[in-house]
Amino acid sequence: MYNISIQSMGDEIVFFDVETTAPAGAEAGWRFWLVEFGAILVCPRRLAEVASYSTLIRPANLSAVSARRLSGITREAVASAPPFADVASRIFEILNGRVWVGHNIQRFDCPRIREAFADIGQPPPEPTGVIDSLPLLTQGFGRRAGDLKMATLASYFGLGQQKHRSLDDARMNLEVIKHCATVLLLESSLPQILWSKKMESAGVVTRSRANAASCREEASRKSPPAAAASHRVVPYKKDRLGKVMEKAKEALFSAQGARPLNTFLRHSRSLLR
């Protein structure tokens, strides 16, 4: 299944996600193999998706792909997909020279992209900045929703169940960031009131046991480390949002100057009007 609507459009940032096999033994090469890539281009001023691309990928070692996988990315499904070499130029065009955004991408997705390009002897795409929503939310949002897995955050905000498909997960990541930013803006406005109410009604929302069992293979690869998140026990100050987004600022400043993030924050504030 392929959805191609990417064009070079300017200063968009790219939310992306990869799905892979899980290292299963020597016969699988003791490594991850890409089986799907998905990305959306997002206008940083309006937080609007302007283009998308997704493709299944046939790995060099087809036996490494599970014959049964609830996300639908099975051995049979990828057998007729193009090899990475056939889609590498498209993926390079999407990623190279843009700000990359994703959940836990510094630890997982970025290394997988580099490995895939190394496999075909081509230089990998290079970002102008990287915004990893896992450390960003660890610093600013904390464990109020439970752990910081994408599935848990999506459940907390009522965004539905994570599908563990690249394009769907990239879109879900954008929505999670929007919701987290709105909560932080509200709390920074009236911390004494909204913080106390949050503490009174706080509950840890995690994936159901059934969902966790069905998605164990996907979650085991991309789950954040157990010690990644810390729980805040003090209210946010009024200038907290600026500190929360500091890492994102640094990435965008180096790539494009201050304007994109400032407009990101202006858009977030407009949600409250």
Side-chain angles (χ1 to χ4, degrees):
M1 180 175 66
Y2 316 106
N3 301 314
I4 303 177
S5 55
I6 288 285
Q7 295 179 355
S8 182
M9 297 182 179
D11 62 351
E12 296 85 5
I13 59 180
V14 55
F15 282 71
F16 77 97
D17 179 80
V18 302
E19 293 297 323
T20 73
T21 62
E27 70 280 359
W30 292 102
R31 60 161 289 175
F32 297 97
W33 295 96
L34 288 186
V35 293
E36 188 176 47
F37 173 88
I40 58 173
L41 290 187
V42 174
C43 171
R45 292 173 295 279
R46 298 182 293 112
L47 298 186
E49 178 183 329
V50 297
S52 67
Y53 171 78
S54 70
T55 180
L56 291 174
I57 298 169
R58 186 174 75 248
N61 188 347
L62 199 58
S63 66
V65 184
S66 174
R68 294 185 61 190
R69 184 167 163 169
L70 294 182
S71 66
I73 308 177
T74 62
R75 189 179 303 163
E76 181 181 4
V78 301
S80 59
F84 183 78
D86 288 0
V87 295
S89 61
R90 198 64 168 149
I91 293 174
F92 186 94
E93 175 189 356
I94 294 163
L95 294 177
N96 193 54
R98 285 191 167 99
V99 174
W100 297 0
V101 189
H103 200 68
N104 202 26
I105 57 172
Q106 290 179 314
R107 177 173 170 261
F108 190 85
D109 302 73
C110 295
R112 305 292 82 80
I113 292 292
R114 290 194 293 269
E115 289 168 0
F117 276 91
D119 286 342
I120 61 173
Q122 293 185 16
E126 296 295 339
T128 54
V130 177
I131 301 174
D132 190 326
S133 57
L134 175 56
L136 187 66
L137 297 181
T138 298
Q139 178 187 357
F141 197 72
R143 300 193 65 179
R144 68 185 71 199
D147 59 41
L148 287 169
K149 297 176 183 179
M150 183 59 62
T152 306
L153 291 165
S155 176
Y156 180 78
F157 288 115
L159 298 176
Q161 181 176 318
Q162 185 183 9
K163 296 181 179 178
H164 294 284
R165 297 301 299 265
S166 293
L167 191 59
D168 292 318
D169 286 1
R171 286 170 171 153
M172 179 171 279
N173 193 9
L174 173 59
E175 292 306 310
V176 163
I177 290 176
K178 287 180 181 179
H179 281 69
C180 289
T182 302
V183 169
L184 294 177
L185 279 167
L186 288 169
E187 287 186 356
S188 68
S189 299
L190 293 170
Q192 292 78 14
I193 298 175
L194 296 182
W195 178 268
S196 61
K197 289 185 178 294
K198 178 190 74 67
M199 292 300 290
E200 290 173 4
S201 60
V204 176
V205 180
T206 58
R207 269 185 286 186
S208 69
R209 186 170 300 176
N211 184 35
S214 68
C215 299
R216 187 174 292 110
E217 180 184 351
E218 291 87 346
S220 65
R221 296 192 309 278
K222 300 193 67 175
S223 298
S230 59
H231 182 61
R232 290 192 56 86
V233 294
V234 294
Y236 290 102
K237 297 179 180 179
K238 289 188 176 182
D239 63 346
R240 178 56 181 162
L241 185 61
K243 296 179 181 178
V244 168
M245 303 297 287
E246 190 61 35
K247 291 187 182 295
K249 283 185 179 180
E250 292 173 3
L252 287 171
F253 286 169
S254 64
Q256 301 166 319
R259 184 182 176 190
L261 187 64
N262 289 339
T263 52
F264 176 99
L265 298 180
R266 284 201 297 272
H267 175 84
S268 298
R269 292 189 178 95
S270 71
L271 296 174
L272 306 180
R273 294 173 183 169

